[in-house]
Amino acid sequence: FADFFTVAVRTGGPGHNGVSLLLVERSFPGVTTKQMHCMGVWSSGTTYITFEDVKVPVENLIGEENRGFKYVMYNFNHERWGLAAQACRFSRVLLEESMKYSFKRETFGKKLIEHPVIRFKLAHMARQVEATYSFLENVTYQMATMPKDEQFAHLGGPIALLKAQCTSTFEYCAREAAQIF
């Protein structure tokens, strides 16, 4: 369980300009936590958090009041990019391990790699992995060379699409690898 939570709260009028970020401590009165029982991810500490009439000191405001939505959106770009890079790498590992296995495993008197359906699966995995990796490199280059204010203005959409592409490729490679193994 975390001892501190970054929480987006309504502090102003309607819309994105009325949201602020607060640092809320788990020890504050009115904060309760209960671990969620998630399949396969016990170490993540995924938790239900309930807030009831919690009083937060003004010094726990993160950044400027009513600017929290902007901070959250700025963080999404890097968060999405990180998830995309992980998914892209995992996809490549699935391809590599499937390829190695197909050269070792024998079925019907020949190596798996000698079966056209397996070569087809590996070829399509490779096509998706390489295309996705190219997209990742392109966006990464832009993030590394573009000024921060331009990144925030122009890269939100491409980074969101990158994450969607990388996770889609990851899912495809995982499904195909499961068929090969």
Side-chain angles (χ1 to χ4, degrees), residues 75-127:
N75 188 56
F76 273 162
N77 284 350
H78 291 91
E79 205 171 289
R80 286 179 176 144
W81 179 88
L83 291 169
Q86 290 175 41
C88 194
R89 180 62 190 140
F90 290 144
S91 298
R92 187 173 296 279
V93 168
L94 287 164
L95 171 60
E96 290 172 1
E97 293 302 318
S98 296
M99 184 75 73
K100 286 182 206 174
Y101 184 75
S102 70
F103 279 97
K104 292 178 187 176
R105 175 86 165 110
E106 288 190 15
T107 59
F108 304 107
K110 57 184 175 179
K111 302 277 186 197
L112 261 179
I113 194 68
E114 295 174 31
H115 295 282
V117 70
I118 299 300
R119 288 196 308 270
F120 179 85
K121 287 178 181 299
L122 292 169
H124 279 279
M125 289 169 70
R127 175 186 54 81

Side-chain angles (χ1 to χ4, degrees), residues 20-167:
S20 297
L21 290 183
L22 299 176
L23 180 68
V24 178
E25 298 178 33
R26 185 162 50 112
S27 61
F28 284 174
V31 177
T32 56
T33 58
K34 180 182 175 193
Q35 185 174 9
M36 292 173 65
H37 299 289
C38 300
M39 186 169 85
V41 287
W42 290 100
S43 62
S44 72
T46 304
T47 304
Y48 290 108
I49 306 168
T50 306
F51 302 104
E52 290 189 34
D53 298 321
V54 178
K55 303 227 184 294
V56 180
V58 71
E59 57 267 12
N60 285 34
L61 176 67
I62 299 171
E64 297 176 37
E65 187 173 357
N66 297 323
R67 304 280 294 179
F69 185 78
K70 183 178 179 181
Y71 303 144
V72 169
M73 295 313 295
Y74 284 177
N75 188 56
F76 273 162
N77 284 350
H78 291 91
E79 205 171 289
R80 286 179 176 144
W81 179 88
L83 291 169
Q86 290 175 41
C88 194
R89 180 62 190 140
F90 290 144
S91 298
R92 187 173 296 279
V93 168
L94 287 164
L95 171 60
E96 290 172 1
E97 293 302 318
S98 296
M99 184 75 73
K100 286 182 206 174
Y101 184 75
S102 70
F103 279 97
K104 292 178 187 176
R105 175 86 165 110
E106 288 190 15
T107 59
F108 304 107
K110 57 184 175 179
K111 302 277 186 197
L112 261 179
I113 194 68
E114 295 174 31
H115 295 282
V117 70
I118 299 300
R119 288 196 308 270
F120 179 85
K121 287 178 181 299
L122 292 169
H124 279 279
M125 289 169 70
R127 175 186 54 81
Q128 286 201 27
V129 167
E130 291 302 324
T132 300
Y133 192 78
S134 178
F135 189 13
L136 175 64
E137 283 185 320
N138 181 286
V139 170
T140 302
Y141 175 79
Q142 291 178 65
M143 289 177 70
T145 58
M146 193 180 283
K148 294 283 185 213
D149 57 333
E150 285 185 43
Q151 285 183 39
F152 297 138
H154 301 293
L155 291 183
I159 292 171
L161 290 173
L162 173 67
K163 181 185 161 221
Q165 176 61 37
C166 289
T167 55

